[in-house]
Amino acid sequence: MTAITSPLGRLRWTFTDGLTLVGRELGRLRQEPGQIVAILFFPVFMVVLFGYVFGSAIKVPGGGDYREYLMPGLFAMVTFTAVQGVMGRMAADASRGVMDRFRSMPAARLAVPFGQTGADLLGGLLVVAIMAAAGLLVGWEPHRGVAHTVEAFLLMVLLRYALSWAGVYIGLVAKDERLVDQLVPLLLPFTMVSNAFVPTGGMPGWLRFLADWNPVSAITAASRKLFGNPEVTSGHGAWPLAHPVAAVLLWSAALLMVFVPLSVRTYMRWGR
């Protein structure tokens, strides 16, 4: 009992139960083969669709291969899917009574949100790895060495983990998977209104401001810089695009500081 009531004991308890729930979430894939197919083929589909179908009609200002310009944007796009994935699973567990059952078990209270975010992180790593392999096959490659390449992927991991906590909070508040399904289309503008697929310089001023300060634009610009892929500087001096690595770190810190406490408080008050 002393080990559980002490701060270190509670932390160990939460970590152990969180790992158990990570295993539960990954085990669900065996029962949902459609998700396995999506994980395996969605990244390849996106590379082919945007790289060859749309890419044939889009030119990179200043020259350069569009598929090399595109790949960091696709990495950013799948990074942002952490929000919809986690909020969907949290809302599903809430609406089906799974959350109430978890709270009735002798498990660490914080294990559920930590387990969900941990499972999403592992799934996201697999998706990014498959997308990177597909990108290499169509001609994309990093040009600035191993250290910068690893740094780019670590930034994606950090931002994805931060975004997954936003998904936890939205899912807990929504409590209904049907409502979450209706919210998913509202997330699409976050990936489209960015520099992921086209430069922001040609957008109207108000839309360009939103795109430049979008975390999707920050991780895209940071990845292009670290990978050595074609970059397009619009000349309007937006701070996040001029300092994209710092912008990703700040966005990640801000998301974690806001949504981790909100998620934990909402989960602890569940059912009251």
Side-chain angles (χ1 to χ4, degrees), residues 6-253:
S6 67
L8 182 59
R10 288 197 298 269
L11 180 61
R12 187 184 300 114
W13 185 29
T14 299
F15 180 75
T16 302
D17 288 349
L19 287 181
T20 301
L21 290 175
V22 168
R24 171 204 176 238
E25 293 301 321
L26 297 179
R28 287 168 60 173
L29 293 177
R30 295 197 302 267
Q31 303 172 0
E32 300 175 1
Q35 287 195 27
I36 297 178
V37 173
I39 290 174
L40 293 176
F41 291 102
F42 175 74
V44 179
F45 172 77
M46 296 299 292
V47 171
V48 173
L49 176 65
F50 285 96
Y52 286 100
V53 178
F54 295 161
S56 61
I58 301 177
K59 303 297 182 184
V60 180
D65 182 75
Y66 181 73
R67 284 188 288 277
E68 289 220 330
Y69 175 83
L70 170 71
M71 284 302 301
L74 293 181
F75 287 134
M77 186 175 182
V78 299
T79 297
F80 196 79
T81 59
V83 177
Q84 67 187 66
V86 175
M87 76 177 186
R89 291 191 294 273
M90 291 296 291
D93 283 348
S95 62
R96 297 172 186 174
V98 177
M99 203 74 69
D100 294 323
R101 187 167 63 181
F102 279 145
R103 289 187 60 82
S104 68
M105 297 171 63
R109 289 288 185 244
L110 302 183
V112 172
F114 278 102
Q116 287 283 1
T117 54
D120 176 80
L121 189 60
L122 293 177
L125 289 173
L126 178 59
V127 172
V128 168
I130 296 173
M131 179 166 280
L136 291 172
L137 290 176
V138 300
W140 166 81
E141 63 177 304
H143 299 285
R144 296 192 61 196
V146 175
H148 287 95
T149 300
V150 171
E151 183 181 353
F153 285 120
L154 287 177
L155 286 175
M156 295 177 206
V157 169
L158 174 63
L159 183 59
R160 184 181 184 98
Y161 186 70
L163 287 167
S164 69
W165 280 98
V168 169
Y169 178 69
I170 296 172
L172 287 172
V173 171
K175 301 181 182 180
D176 188 340
E177 55 185 320
R178 292 174 296 180
L179 175 59
V180 165
D181 290 339
Q182 296 173 356
L183 293 176
V184 168
L186 300 179
L187 299 177
L188 183 61
F190 283 95
T191 55
M192 302 307 294
V193 182
S194 68
N195 65 351
F197 305 110
V198 295
T200 62
M203 299 179 182
W206 65 272
L207 188 62
R208 185 179 64 206
F209 175 82
L210 295 177
D212 289 343
W213 287 86
N214 187 341
V216 175
S217 292
I219 189 61
T220 300
S223 299
R224 286 180 180 141
K225 179 178 182 179
L226 293 170
F227 288 145
N229 293 149
E231 300 179 70
V232 177
T233 55
S234 58
H236 51 271
W239 186 88
L241 300 188
H243 307 87
V245 174
V248 173
L249 294 175
L250 288 174
W251 267 115
S252 301

